[in-house]
Amino acid sequence: MNTNATARWNPGFAFRILALVVAGLLVTQPAAAQSGADVARAYREAHEAEIVRDFAELLTYPNRARDLEDVTRAAEYIRDELQAVGVTSELIRIDGVAPLVYGELRVPDAERTLGIYVHYDGQPVDPLNWTHPPFEPTLYTASMEAGGTPRSMPEPGDPVDPEWRLYARSAGDDKAPIAAILPVLRAFREEGVQPTSNLVFFFDGEEEAGSRHLGRYMEMAADRIADIDVWLFFDGPAHQSGRPQLTFGVRGSMGMEVTVYGATRNLHSGHYGNWTPDTGNILARLLASMKDDTGRVLVDGWYDTVEPLGAEERAALEAMPPVDEALKRELGLVWTEGEPETLSERILLPALNIRGITSGNTGALARNIIPNTAVAALGIRLVKGNEADHLRRLVVEHIEGQGFHVVSEDPDMETRLRYPRIAKVTGGGGYPAARTGMDNPFVQEIIGAAAAAADRAFGPGSLVLAPGLGGTLPLYLFTDVAGKPAVNVPVANHDNNQHAPDENLRIANLWYAIDLYAALLTMPITAF
């Protein structure tokens, strides 16, 4: 209807309306139905304490990736919770492997199918390093760093402060999405809201152990996931600025170990120092040859296979909020590798890092010896265009170029006496990187729905679009193997202590996740 105050009066139109009223043909139109996002928001506001308590219950289930008994109990609990909100769900099993929680919610006449990936397993824990037991969720009035203090769980009807933090293993990585999707589906069921897409849930139980069987699980469910149009990965943190983000790719990951050799046994440093080869020094020099003082990797060909960004990705990169100076102050850093390139730019390049070095002992355990070996663990992050085998070969060639004979097993005496410098190289494989183009029409729909949810939760223009995420997820199985687009949809606070002691989730981020998922599950069908 035209609501312009200058609209002209039309007697003929008025007469027709009056005639319809007299004839009883004018039916009062019902008020516009609430959107799915409105329904989910209203449900959350009415049940905040219950949602927090349900999240805490989920966090009580131990989920160490390699503990099959514990992780199976967690899977069974999640399966049952999905069933309770109307999802047809089951456990798909491989003997001796964490089960896959599979679920479906089919919508009559839906023209699109969304695949939703979450992992429910978590990193190992050392309880001695935690303030509270890692599987006894503890609610704080704010982050520990900000002076928050423990408080009791809210009772139904109690107000919930969005700045509260819930501390437990997997609070941020990656049970938070499960705790958010369940109330969304419960709200939809109670209010009769149907998603606009078919939904397929694929909950991985061994992501933190490398998702070694995920490809096989995908093969076992191939006929049930064939119609999926796009995968949404519910994992990862918000942008370091604190603003919500979408990411369209992840780095790959590979680990290698390099061992250098001296004498056949440890030798007394007084009797043999300055004579026997010093393995720690040999290894240090080898490692130093791999990067310059600015952090640039000096391995020949290291950057040659990086796939260039598209126009949309370059524009998104330029529009990302600056965080480097604030992060440097937060982390106590005066300089960073690759300056003046930003963190957002650096995570789009392959990385070579030293994860650990061993050669003898330090502190109270240090002994007056020359260790017979020194070992370095290398952490390599791949980007789109890199292949793990290729980068591994480049590292091996670099080591050979530094005068080392490279072996794959400990050298025998004949080899020791033949080559002055020997390096054993092991490891490799891991995940390749993956990236979905931001120009994909369905991706554009996801961006629109996510932007609306972000605006509602954090204010206008708050959503950050990042071409890549620094971490690693098994996206390649979905993008490269299955040939489907995938978008990563992070919700955890960036300071959630992911993988570390005192992992936590800020309650405001849980509320945002509910808004976001409701918007995504009720997106209009316009992309196809």
Side-chain angles (χ1 to χ4, degrees):
M1 178 170 38
N2 188 346
T3 57
N4 192 322
T6 63
R8 298 181 61 185
W9 170 249
N10 186 328
F13 176 76
F15 179 81
R16 289 194 296 274
I17 292 294
L18 178 62
L20 289 172
V21 171
V22 172
L25 298 177
L26 185 64
V27 179
T28 301
Q29 296 298 313
Q34 280 190 306
S35 70
D38 288 337
V39 167
R41 171 69 72 93
Y43 180 90
R44 186 266 290 174
E45 290 175 343
H47 299 88
E48 289 184 347
E50 295 94 321
I51 293 171
V52 171
R53 295 176 71 93
D54 288 345
F55 186 18
E57 183 176 359
L58 172 63
L59 293 170
T60 64
Y61 283 81
N63 64 336
R64 291 166 288 248
R66 291 178 172 84
D67 189 324
L68 182 59
E69 185 176 343
D70 277 351
V71 93
T72 299
R73 279 196 293 268
E76 291 169 343
Y77 175 80
I78 295 166
R79 175 201 61 198
D80 294 345
E81 290 296 297
L82 285 171
Q83 290 176 352
V85 295
V87 177
T88 302
S89 58
E90 63 179 292
L91 301 186
I92 302 177
R93 299 176 185 265
I94 298 171
D95 287 344
V97 176
L100 179 87
V101 183
Y102 179 84
E104 288 186 3
L105 184 59
R106 297 286 173 175
V107 179
D109 301 322
E111 299 177 13
R112 174 178 59 203
T113 301
L114 301 180
I116 297 173
Y117 172 95
V118 178
H119 71 86
Y120 65 88
D121 64 314
Q123 282 279 315
V125 293
D126 181 353
L128 295 177
N129 294 327
W130 285 67
T131 304
H132 304 279
F135 297 109
E136 294 181 14
T138 305
L139 191 61
Y140 268 66
T141 57
S143 71
M144 292 181 182
E145 294 78 9
T149 57
R151 58 147 292 145
S152 61
M153 291 289 170
E155 297 295 331
D158 287 349
V160 173
D161 186 336
E163 293 305 318
W164 289 352
R165 300 275 182 127
L166 190 55
Y167 283 83
R169 172 54 90 221
S170 296
D173 182 22
D174 189 36
K175 287 181 177 177
I178 301 171
I181 196 71
L182 290 171
V184 170
L185 295 175
R186 187 173 293 113
F188 285 3
R189 192 178 197 194
E190 291 183 4
E191 296 299 325
V193 174
Q194 281 197 338
T196 52
S197 307
N198 295 316
L199 306 178
V200 172
F201 299 90
F202 226 66
F203 289 3
D204 185 3
E206 57 171 8
E207 193 274 340
E208 301 293 6
S211 295
R212 290 170 293 177
H213 299 89
L214 183 59
R216 186 173 168 194
Y217 275 130
M218 292 177 71
E219 292 172 0
M220 294 169 68
D223 59 331
R224 294 193 271 182
I225 64 175
D227 67 334
I228 289 175
D229 295 298
V230 65
W231 283 92
L232 301 178
F233 271 64
F234 290 173
D235 194 3
H239 189 255
Q240 288 87 351
S241 64
R243 289 164 53 181
Q245 69 173 339
L246 290 182
T247 69
F248 305 92
V250 294
R251 278 169 150 177
S253 179
M254 175 174 63
M256 298 174 64
E257 280 201 347
V258 179
T259 304
V260 299
Y261 297 85
T264 56
R265 64 177 184 272
N266 296 332
L267 294 175
H268 190 288
S269 61
H271 298 318
Y272 295 97
N274 285 346
W275 182 82
T276 190
D278 181 355
T279 52
N281 187 273
I282 293 169
L283 180 62
R285 290 177 178 276
L286 173 60
L287 297 177
S289 74
M290 295 183 181
K291 294 174 80 170
D292 68 16
D293 290 343
T294 70
R296 180 173 178 80
V297 178
L298 299 175
V299 174
D300 285 345
W302 189 254
Y303 301 103
D304 290 353
T305 58
V306 174
E307 184 175 299
L309 297 176
E312 290 81 3
E313 286 79 12
R314 288 195 301 273
L317 190 63
E318 292 172 2
M320 292 180 71
V323 295
D324 287 64
E325 292 306 315
L327 276 177
K328 285 161 69 174
R329 289 192 296 271
E330 176 185 333
L331 301 174
L333 297 173
V334 175
W335 69 281
T336 57
E337 290 190 346
E339 289 181 324
E341 291 182 326
T342 65
L343 172 62
S344 300
E345 293 170 314
R346 294 294 290 173
I347 64 173
L348 296 173
L349 295 173
L352 175 62
N353 298 304
I354 311 303
R355 298 192 299 175
I357 302 175
T358 61
S359 181
N361 300 97
T362 60
L365 296 177
R367 295 169 292 159
N368 292 324
I369 62 167
I370 307 295
N372 64 326
T373 62
V375 184
L378 306 181
I380 295 170
R381 295 288 180 170
L382 298 76
V383 297
K384 187 67 173 174
N386 298 153
E387 294 182 3
D389 288 346
H390 175 66
L391 291 190
R392 186 187 191 281
R393 186 169 66 252
L394 293 182
V395 172
V396 170
E397 291 173 353
H398 178 87
I399 295 171
E400 291 173 337
Q402 298 300 306
F404 287 83
H405 174 67
V406 175
V407 296
S408 57
E409 297 180 349
D410 289 330
D412 56 21
M413 186 59 75
E414 179 183 354
T415 303
R416 284 176 171 274
L417 294 176
R418 183 176 180 182
Y419 299 99
R421 293 179 181 267
I422 301 170
K424 179 178 72 173
V425 178
T426 57
Y431 288 168
R435 189 167 68 232
T436 292
M438 291 174 61
D439 57 352
N440 180 290
F442 190 82
V443 168
Q444 290 296 313
E445 291 294 336
I446 293 172
I447 291 172
D455 287 353
R456 185 172 192 179
F458 289 92
S462 59
L463 185 67
V464 176
L465 304 179
L469 183 72
T472 298
L473 287 166
L475 254 71
Y476 76 98
L477 290 171
F478 302 82
T479 57
D480 296 6
V481 178
K484 300 297 177 74
V487 178
N488 197 50
V489 186
V491 295
N493 40 293
H494 82 279
D495 58 348
N496 70 92
N497 292 339
Q498 180 179 1
H499 292 188
D502 294 336
E503 183 177 351
N504 66 87
L505 190 85
R506 176 173 169 259
I507 298 303
N509 288 72
L510 184 64
W511 296 166
Y512 164 63
I514 291 172
D515 283 347
L516 176 61
Y517 298 164
L520 292 172
L521 301 191
T522 54
M523 287 185 297
I525 305 292
T526 60
F528 296 100

